């Protein structure tokens, strides 16, 4: 059969069978480090969904920088659900695209964040520069690897964690600004995303300490076998909350609301929580958290809402053009 | 109109097709870019494109692209010459390798070059010993652009070189021309228009390159930030208009430079 005839037949087949026997599909648009998590979770959810007496579903996942993913959805990517790195990016789905209501974050428990993470330090085996806490990062000769907060969601959590520590330590915003200015002076490379920084630190062996998502740090450790790297938990960090949301406009068009809501709700079930914990995300469910307590170092955590007034205030103050991050570079 | 009928008939049809094609692929997207940027007032536009960071990135992007195009202009000419004029074992392999920079995803190229030329990479460590950096400096950016734009000059020169018969050079020799005179008066005039085309293509491609550069650049504000990165930064703030302003700036500067190269080419062609 010629290719053209084959294509025509396939097209005709799709037209005829498409609407009738279409298994429901669900598109989950997520950020970079959740790739492995959602591969596992999608399989588990499909089992659960079928156990409820539904047809099996095809779940597609898309990963990339959190901001880029949000823009793709705003610009027309038909995501049923978004699971992004920070609430600020999902807020834009409302502000720019009117795809979801403004109060989206109140629709699911725990501010729509089924799992959390935090920011930790990844250092070379044996911790040769003796890095224990945030003040060690600005010691002479220490090179810090972190992505650019202008282009990376993870990097914004890094920046805010450093800021929160410095403000508690030194007691004022000016001192905190001096601290982060010094910190970023010791950053030799600003990659555009968290994975880029991990490559720079782990593969290209640049720098003494990588500021990383806890889950990303554990993953790097797992992949290289624990011979070259170790994790250091600072005295204080930030509760990184990557939230999830159903994209109302898209599920209404596609008729997938029930499925999409079940998909996100199941993240809060014990099974969902356990999968998240296995992939080094901190579960919200107390009993699952207790099961995995060994895995996660205990540390003091500030939150974006209590300590920074939410992303609506933090984003323009720190990261938009002319914000604190720009100021510390312009002051040079 | 009593023109001799061309080989492919249907002037109207082909022109129409060309216009639709160009509109869909080039004119409409670029037009949309300009229209989007008009959301800004003139003052806002000027403020964005004259910000110190944008100007620094402008110099870097165009400077590095120019350096890469010049380097490829020299090395690429050499490569084309070797490949056309000599027969040696392995020529076919080298010939095939020339196009690899086009086939390879630019991000892969960027990551590979960074690993090699990073301060403690297999090659980069020698630079470190000599006291300078390749990756994470403008030098690294130029290197990545040189890699990505390598095929342009080679591929534009090759057919032209192949068309210059050896007899021309032999005749010149018989007439008493010295080798440098042959190069200057016989080869150069024939090659220059094609060389300029290759140079312009390499330059234009280099200005817009993003994928390979972000890995090797280090992206330090004001130092190793390229213009396309600043566009991404604006987009990540959902500042679409600001991003288009930088896009328009790049487009206008590139257009002017390419126009100059084109005019130069026409003057050369006229002799």
């Amino acid at each position: 059969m010629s290719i053209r005839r084959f294509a025509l037949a396939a097209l005709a087949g799709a037209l005829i069978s498409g609407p009738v026997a279409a298994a429901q599909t669900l598109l989950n648009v997520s950020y970079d480090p959740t790739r492995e998590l959602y591969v596992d979770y999608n399989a588990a959810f499909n089992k659960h969904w079928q156990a409820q007496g539904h047809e099996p579903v095809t779940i597609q996942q898309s990963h990339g920088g959190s901001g880029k993913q949000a823009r793709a959805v705003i610009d027309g990517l038909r995501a049923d659900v978004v699971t992004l790195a920070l609430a600020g990016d999902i807020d834009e789905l409302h502000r720019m695209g009117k795809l979801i209501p403004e109060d989206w974050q109140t629709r699911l428990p725990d501010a729509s964040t089924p799992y959390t993470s935090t920011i930790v330090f990844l250092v070379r085996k044996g911790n040769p520069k003796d890095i224990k806490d945030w003040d060690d990062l600005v010691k002479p000769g220490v090179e810090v690897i972190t992505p650019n907060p202008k282009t990376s969601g993870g990097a914004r959590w890094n920046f805010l964690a450093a800021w929160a520590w410095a403000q508690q330590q030194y007691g004022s915003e000016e001192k905190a600004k001096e601290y982060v200015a010094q910190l970023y002076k010791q950053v030799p490379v600003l990659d555009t995303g968290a994975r880029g920084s991990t490559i720079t630190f782990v593969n290209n062996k640049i720098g003494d300490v990588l500021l990383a998502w806890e889950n990303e740090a554990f993953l790097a450790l797992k992949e290289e076998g624990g011979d070259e790297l170790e994790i250091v938990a600072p005295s204080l960090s930030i509760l990184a909350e990557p939230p999830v949301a159903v994209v109302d406009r898209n599920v209404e068009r596609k008729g997938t609301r029930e499925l999409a809501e079940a998909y996100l709700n199941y993240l809060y079930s014990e099974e969902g929580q356990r999968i998240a914990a296995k992939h080094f995300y901190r579960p919200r469910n107390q009993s699952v958290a207790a099961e995995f307590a060994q895995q996660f170092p205990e540390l003091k955590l500030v939150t974006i809402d209590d300590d920074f007034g939410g992303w609506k205030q933090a984003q323009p103050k720190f990261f938009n053009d002319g914000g604190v991050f720009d100021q510390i570079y312009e002051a040079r | 109109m009593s023109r001799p009928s061309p080989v492919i008939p249907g002037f109207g049809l082909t022109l129409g097709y060309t216009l639709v094609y160009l509109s869909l692929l080039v004119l409409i997207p670029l037009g949309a870019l300009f229209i989007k940027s008009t959301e800004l007032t003139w003052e806002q536009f000027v403020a964005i494109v004259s910000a110190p960071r944008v100007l620094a990135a402008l110099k870097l992007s165009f400077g590095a692209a120019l350096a890469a195009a010049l380097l490829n202009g020299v090395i690429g000419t050499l490569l084309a010459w070797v490949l056309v004029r000599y027969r040696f074992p392995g020529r076919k392999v080298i010939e095939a390798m020339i196009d690899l920079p086009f086939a390879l995803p630019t991000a892969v190229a960027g990551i590979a070059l960074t690993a090699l030329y990073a301060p403690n990479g297999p090659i980069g460590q020698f630079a470190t010993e000599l006291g300078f950096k390749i990756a994470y400096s403008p030098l690294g950016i130029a290197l990545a652009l040189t890699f990505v734009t390598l095929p342009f000059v080679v591929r534009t020169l090759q057919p032209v070189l192949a068309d210059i018969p050896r007899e021309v050079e032999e005749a010149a020799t018989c007439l008493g021309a010295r080798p440098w005179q042959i190069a200057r008066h016989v080869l150069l005039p024939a090659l220059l228009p094609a060389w300029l085309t290759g140079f312009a293509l390499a330059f234009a491609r280099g200005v817009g390159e993003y994928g390979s550069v972000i890995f090797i650049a280090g992206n330090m504000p004001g130092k190793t930030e390229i213009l396309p990165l600043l566009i991404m930064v604006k987009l990540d703030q959902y500042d679409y208009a600001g991003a288009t302003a930088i896009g328009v700036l790049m487009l206008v500067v590139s257009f002017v430079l390419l126009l100059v190269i084109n005019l130069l080419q026409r003057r050369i062609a006229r002799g």
Side-chain angles (χ1 to χ4, degrees):
Chain A
M1 192 170 1
S2 76
I3 288 177
R4 188 182 296 173
R5 269 171 70 190
F6 178 75
L8 274 177
L11 186 67
L15 285 175
I16 295 160
S17 66
V20 185
Q24 271 194 311
T25 61
L26 181 97
L27 174 59
N28 174 6
V29 170
S30 195
Y31 63 113
D32 251 333
T34 57
R35 202 170 268 117
E36 295 81 6
L37 161 67
Y38 278 108
V39 170
D40 271 11
Y41 176 76
N42 290 346
F45 172 75
N46 226 329
K47 236 182 243 163
H48 163 77
W49 183 245
Q50 285 170 63
Q52 306 260 300
H54 295 97
E55 290 287 306
V57 284
T58 312
I59 302 168
Q60 294 168 319
Q61 24 183 141
S62 157
H63 299 269
S66 187
K68 278 175 203 71
Q69 294 290 79
R71 276 204 316 280
V73 176
I74 292 167
D75 294 341
L77 181 65
R78 294 286 188 87
D80 300 275
V81 298
V82 287
T83 54
L84 295 178
L86 41 94
D89 284 328
I90 301 186
D91 281 336
E92 297 294 330
L93 297 192
H94 165 73
R95 197 180 67 87
M96 302 269 307
K98 298 280 176 274
L99 297 168
I100 55 173
E102 191 171 10
D103 64 347
W104 64 271
Q105 212 169 354
T106 62
R107 295 190 296 186
L108 285 167
D110 301 316
S112 290
T113 312
Y115 44 77
T116 64
S117 191
T118 184
I119 301 302
V120 295
F121 304 161
L122 198 62
V123 298
R124 310 267 171 222
K125 192 76 185 174
N127 199 354
K129 296 265 169 127
D130 197 26
I131 291 158
K132 296 207 178 70
D133 207 352
W134 292 99
D135 50 346
D136 296 320
L137 302 185
V138 293
K139 282 187 182 157
V142 172
E143 282 194 327
V144 183
I145 304 297
T146 172
N148 189 339
K150 309 273 280 190
T151 51
S152 157
R156 278 173 229 169
W157 292 112
N158 293 350
F159 182 101
L160 293 178
W163 181 275
W165 176 84
Q167 201 169 3
Q168 293 217 344
Q169 185 76 8
Y170 304 121
S172 77
E173 285 221 345
E174 285 86 84
K175 294 274 185 189
K177 196 167 161 187
E178 276 171 33
Y179 170 78
V180 291
Q182 185 55 42
L183 178 67
Y184 279 89
K185 262 188 200 145
Q186 304 192 208
V187 176
V189 187
L190 282 172
D191 284 294
T192 51
R195 276 281 152 97
S197 281
T198 309
I199 291 173
T200 299
F201 183 75
V202 178
N203 299 58
N204 296 347
K205 306 211 171 9
I206 306 282
D208 303 301
V209 52
L210 172 74
L211 308 185
W213 292 99
E214 186 179 49
N215 53 290
E216 189 79 346
F218 274 116
L219 192 69
L221 214 59
K222 193 171 116 185
E223 274 174 10
E224 63 88 26
D227 301 327
E228 289 174 21
L229 305 167
E230 54 184 82
I231 290 175
V232 172
S235 65
L236 180 137
S237 192
I238 192 162
L239 182 72
E241 295 167 281
V244 300
V246 167
V247 185
D248 298 72
R249 179 94 74 80
N250 291 347
V251 295
E252 265 144 38
R253 258 185 224 155
K254 290 162 77 173
T256 48
R257 178 176 285 282
E258 190 199 355
L259 170 65
E261 279 174 355
Y263 181 79
L264 292 188
N265 278 325
Y266 194 61
L267 281 170
Y268 291 87
S269 72
E270 282 213 358
E271 170 79 16
Q273 292 282 292
R274 215 164 270 131
I275 293 170
K278 268 184 206 146
H279 288 276
F280 312 111
Y281 283 90
R282 294 182 175 223
R284 289 281 199 181
N285 181 307
Q286 290 303 319
S287 67
V288 178
E291 256 176 68
F292 286 86
Q294 288 286 320
Q295 181 175 311
F296 300 109
E298 237 176 88
L299 36 81
K300 226 173 109 195
L301 297 172
V302 299
T303 69
I304 181 79
D305 289 325
D306 296 344
D307 299 78
F308 293 98
W311 281 107
K312 285 194 183 77
Q313 285 187 32
Q315 175 68 29
K317 177 176 172 189
F318 291 101
F319 306 119
N320 279 2
D321 281 354
V324 173
F325 183 74
D326 282 351
Q327 291 163 23
I328 64 175
Y329 273 97
E330 270 152 27
R332 290 187 183 175
Chain B
M1 297 278 267
S2 59
R3 267 193 231 154
S5 74
V7 182
I8 302 171
F11 170 73
L13 192 70
T14 47
L15 182 71
Y17 188 79
T18 310
L19 285 181
V20 170
Y21 189 76
L22 271 182
S23 301
L24 286 176
L25 284 171
V26 181
L27 282 178
I28 292 176
L30 293 190
L33 184 71
F34 275 93
I35 289 168
K36 187 82 190 172
S37 72
T38 57
E39 279 178 15
L40 299 162
T41 65
W42 179 244
E43 284 76 24
Q44 283 171 320
F45 181 85
V46 171
I48 289 169
V49 299
S50 63
R53 266 173 85 182
V54 173
L55 291 181
L58 183 84
K59 267 186 224 150
L60 180 65
S61 273
F62 283 90
L66 190 70
L70 282 174
L71 187 62
N72 273 331
V74 177
I75 310 280
T77 308
L78 210 71
L79 268 170
W81 179 262
V82 167
L83 288 172
V84 169
R85 283 300 161 98
Y86 301 103
R87 293 290 172 271
F88 54 92
R91 194 183 68 94
K92 284 264 161 61
V93 179
I94 295 182
E95 174 85 18
M97 265 167 55
I98 300 277
D99 290 328
L100 279 186
F102 279 173
L104 202 65
T106 50
V108 175
I111 291 172
L113 287 173
T114 310
L116 283 174
Y117 290 91
N120 49 10
I123 301 176
Q125 57 181 333
F126 298 113
T128 312
E129 273 171 31
L130 295 173
F132 68 101
K133 278 200 297 191
I134 300 176
Y136 314 128
S137 77
L139 204 59
I141 299 173
L143 176 79
L145 294 182
T146 309
F147 175 85
V148 171
T149 60
L150 169 77
F152 285 111
V153 171
V154 182
R155 289 300 183 225
T156 46
L157 278 188
Q158 267 183 329
V160 183
L161 256 180
D163 274 352
I164 303 175
R166 257 165 205 267
E167 290 80 45
V168 176
E169 284 165 61
E170 283 162 10
T173 313
C174 290
L175 292 169
R178 295 172 186 285
W180 67 267
Q181 285 176 315
I182 300 176
R184 167 71 186 80
H185 295 290
V186 178
L187 294 175
L188 192 72
L191 290 180
L192 204 54
W195 186 88
L196 271 174
T197 303
F199 174 84
L201 286 172
F203 174 73
R205 176 79 179 78
V207 168
E209 173 61 16
Y210 179 77
S212 61
V213 177
I214 45 156
F215 290 99
I216 203 165
N219 307 321
M220 303 307 286
K223 287 187 197 135
T224 54
E225 263 182 340
I226 53 166
L227 269 180
L229 175 68
L230 286 187
I231 294 180
M232 295 308 291
V233 164
K234 297 260 184 225
L235 284 176
D236 276 335
Q237 292 166 34
Y238 303 95
D239 179 6
Y240 284 59
T244 53
I246 302 181
V248 166
L249 171 73
M250 287 185 77
L251 212 62
V252 169
V253 177
S254 301
F255 184 76
V256 169
L257 288 173
L258 291 175
L259 194 71
V260 169
I261 293 174
N262 243 308
L263 291 175
L264 210 66
Q265 242 173 343
R266 283 178 62 178
R267 277 188 60 177
I268 291 166
R270 265 191 247 130

